[in-house]
Coordinates of all heavy atoms in Angstrom, one line a residue:
M247 N 54.8 -15.7 32.3 CA 54.9 -14.7 33.3 C 56.3 -14.6 33.8 O 56.8 -15.6 34.3 CB 53.9 -15.1 34.4 CG 54.0 -14.2 35.6 SD 53.0 -14.6 37.1 CE 51.8 -15.7 36.6
P248 N 57.0 -13.5 33.7 CA 58.3 -13.3 34.2 C 58.4 -13.4 35.8 O 57.5 -12.9 36.4 CB 58.7 -12.0 33.8 CG 57.8 -11.6 32.6 CD 56.5 -12.3 32.9
L249 N 59.4 -14.0 36.3 CA 59.7 -14.1 37.7 C 60.4 -12.8 38.1 O 61.1 -12.1 37.3 CB 60.5 -15.3 38.1 CG 59.8 -16.6 37.8 CD1 60.8 -17.8 38.1 CD2 58.7 -16.8 38.8
P250 N 60.3 -12.4 39.4 CA 61.1 -11.2 39.8 C 62.6 -11.4 39.7 O 63.1 -12.5 39.7 CB 60.6 -11.0 41.3 CG 60.1 -12.4 41.7 CD 59.6 -13.1 40.5
L251 N 63.3 -10.3 39.6 CA 64.7 -10.2 39.6 C 65.4 -10.9 38.4 O 66.5 -11.4 38.5 CB 65.3 -10.9 40.9 CG 64.8 -10.3 42.2 CD1 65.3 -11.0 43.4 CD2 65.1 -8.8 42.3
G252 N 64.6 -11.0 37.3 CA 65.2 -11.6 36.1 C 65.5 -13.1 36.2 O 66.5 -13.6 35.6
L253 N 64.8 -13.8 37.1 CA 65.1 -15.2 37.3 C 64.6 -16.2 36.3 O 64.8 -17.4 36.3 CB 64.6 -15.7 38.7 CG 65.3 -14.9 39.9 CD1 64.6 -15.3 41.2 CD2 66.8 -15.2 39.9
G254 N 63.8 -15.7 35.3 CA 63.2 -16.6 34.3 C 61.7 -16.4 34.3 O 61.3 -15.2 34.4
G255 N 61.0 -17.4 34.1 CA 59.5 -17.3 34.0 C 58.7 -18.5 34.2 O 59.3 -19.6 34.1
I256 N 57.4 -18.4 34.3 CA 56.5 -19.5 34.4 C 55.7 -19.6 33.1 O 55.2 -18.6 32.6 CB 55.5 -19.3 35.6 CG1 56.4 -19.2 36.9 CG2 54.5 -20.4 35.7 CD1 55.6 -18.7 38.1
V257 N 55.5 -20.8 32.6 CA 54.7 -21.1 31.4 C 53.7 -22.2 31.7 O 53.9 -23.1 32.5 CB 55.6 -21.4 30.2 CG1 56.5 -20.3 29.8 CG2 56.3 -22.7 30.4
I258 N 52.5 -22.0 31.1 CA 51.5 -23.1 31.0 C 51.2 -23.3 29.6 O 50.5 -22.6 28.9 CB 50.2 -22.6 31.8 CG1 50.6 -22.2 33.2 CG2 49.2 -23.8 31.8 CD1 49.4 -21.6 33.9
P259 N 51.9 -24.3 29.0 CA 51.8 -24.6 27.6 C 50.4 -25.1 27.2 O 49.9 -26.0 27.9 CB 52.9 -25.5 27.2 CG 53.2 -26.2 28.5 CD 52.9 -25.3 29.6
T260 N 49.8 -24.7 26.1 CA 48.5 -25.2 25.6 C 48.7 -25.3 24.1 O 49.4 -24.6 23.5 CB 47.3 -24.2 25.9 OG1 47.6 -23.0 25.3 CG2 47.1 -24.1 27.4
A261 N 47.9 -26.3 23.5 CA 47.9 -26.5 22.1 C 46.6 -27.0 21.6 O 45.9 -27.7 22.4 CB 49.0 -27.5 21.7
R262 N 46.3 -26.8 20.4 CA 45.1 -27.3 19.7 C 45.6 -28.3 18.7 O 46.6 -28.2 18.0 CB 44.4 -26.2 19.0 CG 43.7 -25.2 19.9 CD 42.9 -24.2 19.1 NE 42.2 -23.3 19.9 CZ 40.9 -23.5 20.2 NH1 40.2 -24.5 19.7 NH2 40.3 -22.7 21.1
V263 N 44.8 -29.4 18.6 CA 45.0 -30.5 17.6 C 43.8 -30.5 16.7 O 42.6 -30.5 17.2 CB 45.2 -31.8 18.4 CG1 45.3 -33.0 17.4 CG2 46.4 -31.8 19.3
A264 N 44.0 -30.7 15.4 CA 42.9 -30.8 14.5 C 43.1 -32.1 13.7 O 44.2 -32.4 13.4 CB 43.0 -29.6 13.5
P265 N 42.0 -32.7 13.4 CA 40.6 -32.4 13.8 C 40.4 -32.7 15.3 O 41.2 -33.3 16.0 CB 39.8 -33.4 13.0 CG 40.7 -34.6 12.7 CD 42.1 -34.0 12.7
T266 N 39.4 -32.1 15.8 CA 39.1 -32.2 17.3 C 38.9 -33.6 17.8 O 39.0 -33.8 19.0 CB 37.9 -31.3 17.7 OG1 36.8 -31.7 17.0 CG2 38.2 -29.8 17.4
N267 N 38.6 -34.5 16.9 CA 38.4 -35.9 17.3 C 39.6 -36.7 17.3 O 39.6 -37.9 17.5 CB 37.3 -36.6 16.5 CG 37.7 -36.8 15.1 OD1 38.5 -36.1 14.5 ND2 37.0 -37.8 14.5
A268 N 40.8 -36.1 17.0 CA 42.1 -36.8 17.0 C 42.5 -37.2 18.5 O 42.7 -36.3 19.2 CB 43.1 -36.0 16.3
A269 N 42.5 -38.4 18.8 CA 42.8 -38.9 20.1 C 44.3 -39.2 20.2 O 44.9 -39.7 19.2 CB 42.0 -40.1 20.5
G270 N 44.9 -38.8 21.3 CA 46.3 -39.1 21.5 C 46.9 -38.3 22.6 O 46.2 -37.8 23.5
T271 N 48.2 -38.1 22.6 CA 48.9 -37.3 23.6 C 49.8 -36.2 23.0 O 50.2 -36.4 21.8 CB 49.8 -38.2 24.5 OG1 50.8 -38.8 23.7 CG2 49.0 -39.2 25.3
L272 N 50.1 -35.2 23.8 CA 51.0 -34.2 23.3 C 52.1 -34.1 24.3 O 51.9 -34.2 25.6 CB 50.3 -32.8 23.3 CG 49.7 -32.4 22.1 CD1 49.0 -31.0 22.2 CD2 50.6 -32.3 20.9
Q273 N 53.4 -34.1 23.8 CA 54.5 -33.8 24.7 C 55.0 -32.4 24.4 O 55.4 -32.1 23.3 CB 55.6 -34.9 24.3 CG 56.9 -34.6 25.1 CD 56.7 -34.8 26.6 OE1 56.4 -35.9 27.1 NE2 56.9 -33.7 27.4
F274 N 55.0 -31.6 25.4 CA 55.5 -30.2 25.2 C 57.0 -30.3 25.5 O 57.5 -31.0 26.3 CB 54.8 -29.3 26.2 CG 53.4 -29.0 25.9 CD1 52.4 -29.7 26.5 CD2 53.0 -28.1 24.9 CE1 51.0 -29.5 26.2 CE2 51.7 -27.9 24.6 CZ 50.7 -28.6 25.2
K275 N 57.7 -29.5 24.7 CA 59.2 -29.5 24.8 C 59.7 -28.1 24.7 O 59.2 -27.2 24.1 CB 59.8 -30.2 23.6 CG 59.5 -31.7 23.5 CD 60.1 -32.3 22.3 CE 60.3 -33.8 22.4 NZ 61.3 -34.2 23.4
D276 N 60.9 -27.9 25.4 CA 61.6 -26.7 25.4 C 63.0 -27.1 24.7 O 63.8 -27.7 25.4 CB 61.9 -26.1 26.8 CG 62.7 -24.8 26.7 OD1 62.9 -24.3 25.6 OD2 63.1 -24.4 27.8
G277 N 63.1 -26.9 23.4 CA 64.2 -27.4 22.7 C 64.1 -28.9 22.6 O 63.1 -29.5 22.2
V278 N 65.1 -29.6 23.2 CA 65.0 -31.1 23.2 C 64.6 -31.6 24.6 O 64.4 -32.8 24.8 CB 66.4 -31.7 22.9 CG1 66.8 -31.4 21.4 CG2 67.5 -31.3 23.8
T279 N 64.3 -30.7 25.5 CA 64.0 -31.1 26.9 C 62.4 -31.2 27.0 O 61.7 -30.2 26.7 CB 64.5 -30.0 27.9 OG1 65.9 -29.9 27.8 CG2 64.1 -30.4 29.3
N280 N 62.0 -32.3 27.5 CA 60.5 -32.5 27.8 C 60.1 -31.6 29.0 O 60.8 -31.5 30.0 CB 60.2 -33.9 28.1 CG 60.3 -34.8 27.0 OD1 60.4 -34.4 25.8 ND2 60.5 -36.1 27.2
L281 N 58.9 -31.0 28.8 CA 58.3 -30.2 29.9 C 57.3 -31.2 30.5 O 56.1 -31.3 30.0 CB 57.6 -29.0 29.4 CG 58.5 -27.9 28.8 CD1 57.7 -26.7 28.3 CD2 59.6 -27.5 29.8
G282 N 57.7 -31.9 31.6 CA 56.8 -32.9 32.2 C 56.6 -34.1 31.2 O 57.4 -34.3 30.3
G283 N 55.6 -34.8 31.5 CA 55.3 -36.0 30.6 C 54.2 -35.7 29.6 O 53.7 -34.6 29.6
P284 N 53.9 -36.7 28.8 CA 52.8 -36.5 27.8 C 51.5 -36.2 28.5 O 51.2 -36.8 29.5 CB 52.8 -37.8 27.0 CG 54.0 -38.5 27.4 CD 54.5 -38.0 28.7
V285 N 50.7 -35.3 27.8 CA 49.3 -35.0 28.3 C 48.3 -35.4 27.3 O 48.6 -35.4 26.1 CB 49.2 -33.5 28.7 CG1 50.1 -33.2 29.9 CG2 49.5 -32.6 27.5
S286 N 47.1 -35.8 27.8 CA 46.1 -36.3 26.9 C 45.4 -35.1 26.1 O 45.3 -34.0 26.7 CB 45.0 -37.0 27.6 OG 45.5 -38.2 28.2
V287 N 45.0 -35.4 24.9 CA 44.2 -34.4 24.1 C 42.8 -34.7 24.4 O 42.3 -35.8 24.2 CB 44.6 -34.5 22.6 CG1 43.7 -33.6 21.8 CG2 46.1 -34.3 22.4
H288 N 42.0 -33.6 24.7 CA 40.5 -33.8 24.9 C 39.8 -32.7 24.1 O 40.1 -31.5 24.3 CB 40.2 -33.6 26.4 CG 40.8 -34.6 27.3 ND1 40.3 -35.9 27.4 CD2 41.9 -34.5 28.1 CE1 41.1 -36.6 28.2 NE2 42.0 -35.8 28.7
G289 N 39.0 -33.1 23.1 CA 38.3 -32.2 22.3 C 39.2 -31.3 21.5 O 38.9 -30.1 21.2
G290 N 40.4 -31.8 21.1 CA 41.3 -31.0 20.3 C 42.2 -30.1 21.1 O 42.9 -29.3 20.5
I291 N 42.2 -30.1 22.4 CA 43.0 -29.2 23.2 C 43.8 -30.0 24.3 O 43.3 -31.0 24.8 CB 42.1 -28.2 24.0 CG1 41.3 -27.3 22.9 CG2 42.9 -27.3 24.9 CD1 40.4 -26.3 23.5
A292 N 45.0 -29.6 24.5 CA 45.9 -30.2 25.5 C 46.5 -29.0 26.3 O 46.9 -28.0 25.7 CB 47.0 -31.0 24.9
V293 N 46.6 -29.2 27.6 CA 47.2 -28.2 28.5 C 48.3 -29.0 29.2 O 48.1 -30.0 29.8 CB 46.2 -27.7 29.5 CG1 46.9 -26.7 30.5 CG2 45.0 -27.0 28.8
G294 N 49.5 -28.4 29.1 CA 50.7 -29.0 29.7 C 50.9 -28.6 31.1 O 50.1 -27.8 31.7
P295 N 51.9 -29.1 31.7 CA 52.2 -28.8 33.1 C 52.8 -27.4 33.3 O 53.4 -26.9 32.4 CB 53.3 -29.9 33.5 CG 54.0 -30.1 32.2 CD 52.9 -30.0 31.1
I296 N 52.5 -26.8 34.4 CA 53.1 -25.5 34.7 C 54.6 -25.8 34.9 O 55.0 -26.7 35.6 CB 52.5 -25.0 36.1 CG1 51.0 -24.7 35.9 CG2 53.3 -23.7 36.5 CD1 50.3 -24.3 37.2
S297 N 55.4 -25.0 34.2 CA 56.8 -25.1 34.2 C 57.5 -23.8 34.5 O 57.1 -22.8 34.0 CB 57.3 -25.6 32.8 OG 56.7 -26.9 32.5
V298 N 58.6 -23.9 35.2 CA 59.4 -22.7 35.5 C 60.7 -22.8 34.6 O 61.4 -23.8 34.7 CB 59.9 -22.7 37.0 CG1 60.8 -21.5 37.2 CG2 58.7 -22.6 37.9
L299 N 60.8 -21.8 33.7 CA 62.0 -21.9 32.8 C 63.0 -20.8 33.2 O 62.7 -19.8 33.7 CB 61.5 -21.5 31.4 CG 60.4 -22.5 30.8 CD1 60.0 -22.1 29.4 CD2 60.9 -23.9 30.8
A300 N 64.2 -21.2 33.0 CA 65.4 -20.3 33.4 C 65.4 -19.0 32.5 O 64.8 -19.0 31.4 CB 66.7 -21.0 33.2
K301 N 66.1 -18.0 33.0 CA 66.3 -16.8 32.2 C 67.0 -17.2 30.9 O 67.9 -18.0 30.9 CB 67.2 -15.9 33.0 CG 67.5 -14.6 32.3 CD 68.3 -13.7 33.2 CE 68.7 -12.4 32.5 NZ 69.6 -11.5 33.3
G302 N 66.6 -16.6 29.8 CA 67.2 -16.8 28.5 C 66.2 -17.1 27.4 O 65.0 -17.0 27.6
Q303 N 66.7 -17.6 26.3 CA 65.8 -17.9 25.1 C 65.3 -19.3 25.2 O 66.0 -20.2 25.6 CB 66.6 -17.7 23.8 CG 65.7 -17.8 22.6 CD 66.4 -17.6 21.3 OE1 67.3 -18.4 20.9 NE2 66.1 -16.5 20.7
H304 N 64.1 -19.5 24.8 CA 63.4 -20.8 24.8 C 62.7 -21.1 23.5 O 62.2 -20.1 22.8 CB 62.4 -20.9 26.0 CG 63.0 -20.7 27.3 ND1 63.6 -21.7 28.0 CD2 63.2 -19.6 28.0 CE1 64.1 -21.3 29.1 NE2 63.9 -20.0 29.2
Q305 N 62.7 -22.3 23.1 CA 62.0 -22.7 21.8 C 61.0 -23.9 22.2 O 61.4 -25.0 22.3 CB 63.0 -23.2 20.8 CG 63.9 -22.0 20.4 CD 64.9 -22.4 19.3 OE1 65.3 -23.6 19.2 NE2 65.3 -21.5 18.5
L306 N 59.7 -23.5 22.3 CA 58.7 -24.4 22.7 C 58.0 -25.1 21.5 O 57.7 -24.4 20.5 CB 57.6 -23.8 23.6 CG 58.1 -23.2 24.9 CD1 56.9 -22.6 25.7 CD2 58.9 -24.2 25.7
T307 N 57.8 -26.4 21.6 CA 57.1 -27.1 20.6 C 56.1 -28.1 21.3 O 56.3 -28.4 22.5 CB 58.0 -27.9 19.6 OG1 58.8 -28.8 20.4 CG2 58.8 -27.0 18.7
A308 N 55.2 -28.6 20.5 CA 54.3 -29.7 21.0 C 54.3 -30.8 20.0 O 54.2 -30.6 18.8 CB 52.9 -29.2 21.2
V309 N 54.6 -32.1 20.5 CA 54.7 -33.2 19.6 C 53.4 -34.1 19.9 O 53.2 -34.6 21.0 CB 56.0 -34.0 19.9 CG1 56.0 -35.2 19.0 CG2 57.2 -33.1 19.7
F310 N 52.6 -34.3 18.8 CA 51.4 -35.1 18.9 C 51.7 -36.5 18.5 O 52.3 -36.8 17.5 CB 50.3 -34.5 18.0 CG 49.1 -35.3 17.9 CD1 48.2 -35.5 19.0 CD2 48.7 -36.0 16.8 CE1 47.1 -36.3 19.0 CE2 47.6 -36.8 16.7 CZ 46.8 -36.9 17.8
T311 N 51.2 -37.4 19.4 CA 51.3 -38.9 19.1 C 49.9 -39.4 19.2 O 49.3 -39.4 20.2 CB 52.2 -39.6 20.2 OG1 53.5 -39.0 20.2 CG2 52.3 -41.1 19.9
P312 N 49.4 -39.9 18.0 CA 48.0 -40.4 18.0 C 47.9 -41.8 18.6 O 48.8 -42.6 18.6 CB 47.7 -40.5 16.5 CG 49.0 -40.7 15.9 CD 50.0 -40.0 16.7
T313 N 46.7 -42.1 19.2 CA 46.5 -43.4 19.8 C 46.1 -44.4 18.6 O 46.2 -45.6 18.8 CB 45.4 -43.4 20.9 OG1 44.2 -42.8 20.3 CG2 45.9 -42.7 22.1
Q314 N 45.6 -43.8 17.5 CA 45.2 -44.6 16.4 C 46.0 -44.1 15.1 O 45.5 -43.3 14.3 CB 43.7 -44.5 16.1 CG 42.9 -45.0 17.2 CD 41.4 -44.7 17.0 OE1 41.0 -43.8 16.3 NE2 40.6 -45.6 17.5
P315 N 47.3 -44.6 15.0 CA 48.1 -44.1 13.9 C 47.6 -44.4 12.5 O 48.0 -43.8 11.5 CB 49.5 -44.7 14.2 CG 49.3 -45.7 15.2 CD 48.0 -45.5 15.9
T316 N 46.7 -45.3 12.4 CA 46.1 -45.6 11.1 C 45.1 -44.6 10.7 O 44.8 -44.4 9.5 CB 45.4 -47.0 11.0 OG1 44.4 -47.1 12.1 CG2 46.4 -48.1 11.2
N317 N 44.5 -43.8 11.7 CA 43.5 -42.8 11.4 C 44.1 -41.4 11.4 O 43.6 -40.5 10.8 CB 42.4 -42.9 12.4 CG 41.6 -44.2 12.3 OD1 41.6 -44.8 11.3 ND2 41.0 -44.6 13.4
F318 N 45.1 -41.1 12.2 CA 45.7 -39.8 12.4 C 47.2 -39.9 12.4 O 47.8 -40.9 12.8 CB 45.3 -39.2 13.7 CG 43.8 -39.1 13.9 CD1 43.1 -40.0 14.7 CD2 43.1 -38.1 13.2 CE1 41.7 -39.9 14.8 CE2 41.7 -38.1 13.3 CZ 41.0 -39.0 14.1
K319 N 47.9 -38.9 11.9 CA 49.3 -38.9 11.8 C 50.0 -38.1 12.9 O 49.5 -37.1 13.4 CB 49.7 -38.2 10.5 CG 49.3 -38.9 9.2 CD 49.8 -38.2 8.0 CE 49.3 -39.0 6.8 NZ 49.8 -38.3 5.5
P320 N 51.2 -38.6 13.4 CA 51.9 -37.8 14.4 C 52.4 -36.5 13.7 O 52.5 -36.4 12.5 CB 53.1 -38.7 14.7 CG 53.0 -39.9 13.8 CD 51.8 -39.8 13.0
S321 N 52.5 -35.5 14.6 CA 53.0 -34.2 14.0 C 53.7 -33.4 15.1 O 53.5 -33.7 16.3 CB 51.8 -33.4 13.5 OG 50.9 -33.2 14.5
T322 N 54.4 -32.4 14.7 CA 55.1 -31.5 15.6 C 54.6 -30.0 15.2 O 54.6 -29.7 14.1 CB 56.6 -31.6 15.5 OG1 57.0 -32.9 15.8 CG2 57.3 -30.6 16.4
S323 N 54.3 -29.3 16.2 CA 53.9 -27.9 16.0 C 55.0 -27.0 15.5 O 56.2 -27.4 15.5 CB 53.4 -27.3 17.4 OG 54.5 -27.1 18.2
N324 N 54.6 -25.8 15.1 CA 55.6 -24.8 14.8 C 56.3 -24.5 16.1 O 55.8 -24.7 17.2 CB 55.0 -23.5 14.2 CG 54.3 -23.8 12.9 OD1 54.8 -24.6 12.1 ND2 53.3 -23.0 12.6
T325 N 57.5 -23.9 16.0 CA 58.3 -23.5 17.1 C 58.0 -22.1 17.6 O 57.9 -21.2 16.8 CB 59.8 -23.6 16.8 OG1 60.1 -25.0 16.5 CG2 60.6 -23.2 18.1
L326 N 57.7 -22.0 18.9 CA 57.5 -20.7 19.5 C 58.7 -20.3 20.2 O 59.1 -20.9 21.2 CB 56.3 -20.7 20.4 CG 56.0 -19.4 21.3 CD1 55.6 -18.3 20.4 CD2 55.0 -19.7 22.3
T327 N 59.4 -19.2 19.7 CA 60.7 -18.8 20.4 C 60.4 -17.5 21.2 O 59.8 -16.6 20.7 CB 61.7 -18.5 19.3 OG1 61.9 -19.7 18.6 CG2 63.0 -18.1 19.9
F328 N 60.9 -17.5 22.4 CA 60.8 -16.3 23.2 C 61.9 -16.2 24.3 O 62.6 -17.2 24.5 CB 59.4 -16.2 23.9 CG 59.2 -17.3 24.9 CD1 59.4 -17.1 26.3 CD2 58.7 -18.5 24.5 CE1 59.3 -18.1 27.2 CE2 58.5 -19.5 25.5 CZ 58.8 -19.3 26.8
T329 N 62.0 -15.1 24.9 CA 63.1 -14.9 25.9 C 62.5 -14.3 27.2 O 61.7 -13.4 27.1 CB 64.2 -13.9 25.3 OG1 64.7 -14.5 24.1 CG2 65.3 -13.7 26.3
F330 N 63.0 -14.9 28.3 CA 62.7 -14.3 29.6 C 63.8 -13.4 30.0 O 65.0 -13.7 29.8 CB 62.4 -15.4 30.7 CG 61.1 -16.0 30.6 CD1 61.0 -17.4 30.4 CD2 60.0 -15.3 30.9 CE1 59.7 -18.0 30.4 CE2 58.7 -15.9 30.9 CZ 58.6 -17.2 30.6

């Protein structure tokens, strides 16, 4: 959601993890910058913190870290690029 006067925007990052029983955390990122701290995955879905991003281009990703690395592999989402 863009902020008034071209000041940037507000994002609420969400991601799905497959399979839905994969337990762990997701770290949402804007480039190399963390958006808050890691959030838990519940039923294959994670919702990140509400973040205010500056005006300009952003590249969001989600990095999954499993709690049981012998059962599930860590992974990084595709990059979502957008501009406020």
Side-chain angles (χ1 to χ4, degrees):
M247 169 184 349
L249 293 172
L251 307 173
L253 297 175
I256 299 171
V257 296
I258 304 171
T260 59
R262 289 183 177 261
V263 175
T266 58
N267 67 334
T271 60
L272 271 177
Q273 177 63 63
F274 291 97
K275 295 179 157 294
D276 179 11
V278 297
T279 303
N280 290 341
L281 297 178
V285 294
S286 297
V287 176
H288 299 283
I291 297 175
V293 177
I296 296 172
S297 300
V298 177
L299 302 180
K301 180 180 177 182
Q303 188 177 69
H304 299 274
Q305 296 183 330
L306 298 184
T307 56
V309 179
F310 174 67
T311 303
T313 54
Q314 299 173 330
T316 55
N317 295 336
F318 303 102
K319 294 182 180 182
S321 62
T322 300
S323 69
N324 294 331
T325 301
L326 172 66
T327 301
F328 66 94
T329 302
F330 280 118

